[in-house]
Amino acid sequence: MNFNDFNLHPCIMEGVNALGYTEPTPIQSKAIPVALQGNDIVGLAQTGTGKTAAFVLPILQKLMPGKRGQVRALIMSPTRELAEQTCTAINKLGKKTGIRSIAVYGGVSISQQVINLRNCAEIVVACPGRLLDHIWRGTVDLSHIEILVIDEADRMLDMGFLPNIKSILDCIMQKHQTLLFSATMPKEIRRLTEDILTQPLNIQIGETAPAETVSHALYPVKQHLKTALLMEILYQIQKESVIVFTRTKHRAEKVADELKKAGFKAASLHGNLSQIRRQSAIDGLRRGSIKVLVATDIASRGIDILSITHVINYDIPECADDYTHRIGRTGRINNNGDAWTLVTAADTGMIRDIEKILKSTIERKTIQGFDYTIAAPVGERVRYERKPARSDAQTSRQSAGRELRNKMFNNRRPAIAKAI
Ligand code: ADP
Ligand code: MG
């Protein structure tokens, strides 16, 4: 199949060509013609397989004729960063169409959004909370919505978001087309989609499993050695772009802090940060000025940065689907990636769940030269600084790392043990 087969408007094809897309991906081949016919869709395809264009191209085609200056398409997004990214994709694909999009999310001033929403956009990409704010203030008019997309649909319909999504859907009274996309869809959430969709077409590419472009490994380690092991790993994969996932905001901040002190170009990304810091962390990773982003699951959905070579789970995710989304930040489109998970004895059950969706055992690995026998520090956390490692030889970098760890663990003072 070829993009010309979709009979898209020449202005839209200019955007497709400008992005260098030559062939539609499988989800695009299947979903675009069905969406263009006006059907509701549940589209499932693995992470990094072009789902965004699978809904953006039909939206642009649908909006080419008809009135401008009113909101005619709404895309729901679980995170602010994903909303921004989707807007950027629309602006690139729709560059020559004159169709405008805006991202609407919390954590930033509402007044500029109010101005932009007034006659300035045909597509709104929104996080539910802030969109509801606009609805209540009367600063967004959803009465012209023709097409609604719920991206990362299973997350948007889970308990956290569902009440807000329902309130928003209640405000769209007129007949409209609805498209749901995700890489995963638990059964209980799929049941909910029946209330939202009208005779939907289910399009599923492959299995809802982790992307095949990613290789997996487990690194068994004691909890107190996780940061030291992470550093050793990072020394060994220097120059690469890495996302490290932690389970809590506090830990993301702490680990990023320790990495920065040890000389890594690291930043944190979690819900306690200002939006300016969140966006600058993700932009830094995109540009390459940040090499290690330590994030909570806030970064696990949708983020598309092709240079990410490794996902490292500092903490194992809470469920197997979260694993699929986290590791899907690497190995996108035609790239390969590595997904490494630091595991402790407590993670056995979750490892089993992950191996079940992978339908194979994940290789257990150790890092050569790393001292796994260091005892847990019985005391106040010792702050340490990495001596500037010589950049010319990896061996000297590794020995600098070992020296640091020794310093860290030998300098312990007796007191009550603290969790990392
Ligand atoms: P998903 O939503 O499925 O995780 P994205 O829509 O974020 O994936 O797309 C992943 C990457 O693939 C993006 O960088 C996007 O620009 C690129 N891409 C999408 N469609 C194509 C295509 N047909 N050919 C080449 N690259 C594509
Ligand atoms: Mg996506």
Side-chain angles (χ1 to χ4, degrees), residues 66-120:
K67 199 161 176 228
R68 300 287 169 98
Q70 55 192 23
V71 181
R72 295 165 58 199
L74 173 63
I75 300 167
M76 300 305 306
S77 193
T79 65
R80 300 163 184 180
E81 291 72 21
L82 181 55
E84 277 295 348
Q85 182 184 290
T86 304
C87 249
T88 306
I90 296 169
N91 292 340
K92 284 182 181 163
L93 285 166
K95 192 169 179 197
K96 298 289 161 135
T97 63
I99 293 169
R100 295 152 304 173
S101 67
I102 71 157
V104 165
Y105 50 76
V108 293
S109 148
I110 200 164
S111 44
Q112 189 56 47
Q113 289 175 1
V114 171
I115 295 166
N116 291 347
L117 280 167
R118 210 179 291 142
N119 303 330
C120 286

Side-chain angles (χ1 to χ4, degrees), residues 48-298:
T49 56
K51 293 187 285 297
T52 314
F55 58 77
V56 168
L57 293 174
I59 290 179
L60 292 172
Q61 179 75 4
K62 196 160 183 159
L63 300 196
M64 276 310 285
K67 199 161 176 228
R68 300 287 169 98
Q70 55 192 23
V71 181
R72 295 165 58 199
L74 173 63
I75 300 167
M76 300 305 306
S77 193
T79 65
R80 300 163 184 180
E81 291 72 21
L82 181 55
E84 277 295 348
Q85 182 184 290
T86 304
C87 249
T88 306
I90 296 169
N91 292 340
K92 284 182 181 163
L93 285 166
K95 192 169 179 197
K96 298 289 161 135
T97 63
I99 293 169
R100 295 152 304 173
S101 67
I102 71 157
V104 165
Y105 50 76
V108 293
S109 148
I110 200 164
S111 44
Q112 189 56 47
Q113 289 175 1
V114 171
I115 295 166
N116 291 347
L117 280 167
R118 210 179 291 142
N119 303 330
C120 286
E122 290 77 34
I123 306 175
V124 168
V125 188
C127 296
R130 177 57 67 90
L131 183 65
L132 271 177
D133 257 8
H134 283 287
I135 291 172
W136 289 326
R137 287 165 181 245
T139 47
V140 64
D141 176 8
L142 300 185
S143 68
H144 303 287
I145 295 289
E146 298 165 37
I147 184 161
L148 166 73
V149 175
I150 306 187
D151 194 15
E152 304 294 342
D154 57 334
R155 168 56 45 89
M156 302 305 282
L157 299 175
D158 76 11
M159 294 309 282
F161 279 117
L162 191 60
N164 280 354
I165 291 284
K166 277 187 169 162
S167 305
I168 291 165
L169 294 184
D170 286 346
C171 297
I172 309 175
M173 321 285 266
Q174 71 280 14
K175 196 166 171 288
H176 59 274
Q177 181 183 10
T178 306
L179 313 176
L180 265 50
F181 281 91
S182 188
T184 52
M185 185 61 72
K187 279 196 195 78
E188 60 280 11
I189 303 275
R190 185 181 276 275
R191 245 173 269 129
L192 285 176
T193 66
E194 289 162 17
D195 303 338
I196 299 174
L197 302 166
T198 316
Q199 297 179 323
L201 246 117
N202 290 301
I203 298 170
Q204 182 166 348
I205 308 296
E207 294 193 45
T208 53
E212 281 128 19
T213 45
V214 177
S215 330
H216 309 259
L218 299 178
Y219 287 87
V221 63
K222 293 200 178 95
Q223 184 69 32
H224 69 279
L225 290 179
K226 275 188 175 180
T227 304
L229 183 65
L230 173 66
M231 285 189 191
E232 188 68 50
I233 290 173
L234 292 175
Y235 288 130
Q236 293 192 11
I237 55 170
Q238 287 240 345
K239 296 200 177 124
E240 309 283 16
S241 248
V242 184
I243 292 202
V244 176
F245 282 103
T246 65
R247 195 168 283 181
T248 65
K249 300 172 200 175
H250 175 74
R251 196 174 291 182
E253 193 59 36
K254 193 115 188 153
V255 172
D257 231 35
E258 284 174 311
L259 292 180
K260 276 188 266 181
K261 281 187 194 118
F264 291 97
K265 290 177 181 165
S268 61
L269 178 63
H270 55 77
N272 281 357
L273 298 177
S274 68
Q275 191 50 33
I276 289 179
R277 277 192 63 194
R278 279 170 63 163
Q279 197 59 48
S280 98
I282 205 110
D283 289 346
L285 190 68
R286 241 182 248 287
R287 281 196 310 267
S289 57
I290 296 293
K291 289 290 176 195
V292 189
L293 184 70
V294 189
T296 56
D297 280 296
I298 210 168

Side-chain angles (χ1 to χ4, degrees), residues 348-413:
T348 317
M350 189 49 63
I351 295 171
R352 212 178 304 125
D353 289 354
I354 293 167
E355 290 181 329
K356 212 157 130 193
I357 56 162
L358 282 170
K359 296 199 176 86
S360 68
T361 316
I362 310 176
E363 192 181 346
R364 272 70 171 163
K365 288 190 174 172
T366 50
I367 292 286
Q368 268 204 342
F370 182 76
D371 186 356
Y372 285 89
T373 62
I374 300 167
V378 191
E380 205 180 299
R381 247 199 120 68
V382 177
R383 287 183 167 247
Y384 65 96
E385 282 178 23
R386 182 165 78 101
K387 280 184 190 152
R390 291 207 354 238
S391 56
D392 51 347
Q394 196 181 23
T395 46
S396 66
R397 280 197 299 270
Q398 287 168 7
S399 69
R402 270 189 289 279
E403 206 176 289
L404 276 167
R405 276 194 316 281
N406 291 340
K407 192 173 159 197
M408 173 182 175
F409 293 114
N410 290 337
N411 281 353
R412 56 186 188 244
R413 283 177 245 155

Side-chain angles (χ1 to χ4, degrees), residues 293-343:
L293 184 70
V294 189
T296 56
D297 280 296
I298 210 168
S300 71
R301 294 269 181 163
I303 297 302
D304 179 59
I305 301 177
L306 299 182
S307 57
I308 296 172
T309 51
H310 296 73
V311 170
I312 300 179
N313 292 311
Y314 183 99
D315 298 311
I316 205 160
E318 276 176 31
C319 68
D321 279 352
D322 286 353
Y323 181 83
T324 299
H325 289 282
R326 280 183 178 188
I327 66 108
R329 296 319 101 216
T330 186
R332 299 180 69 73
I333 209 84
N334 298 318
N335 298 314
N336 291 321
D338 283 296
W340 296 343
T341 304
L342 311 189
V343 291

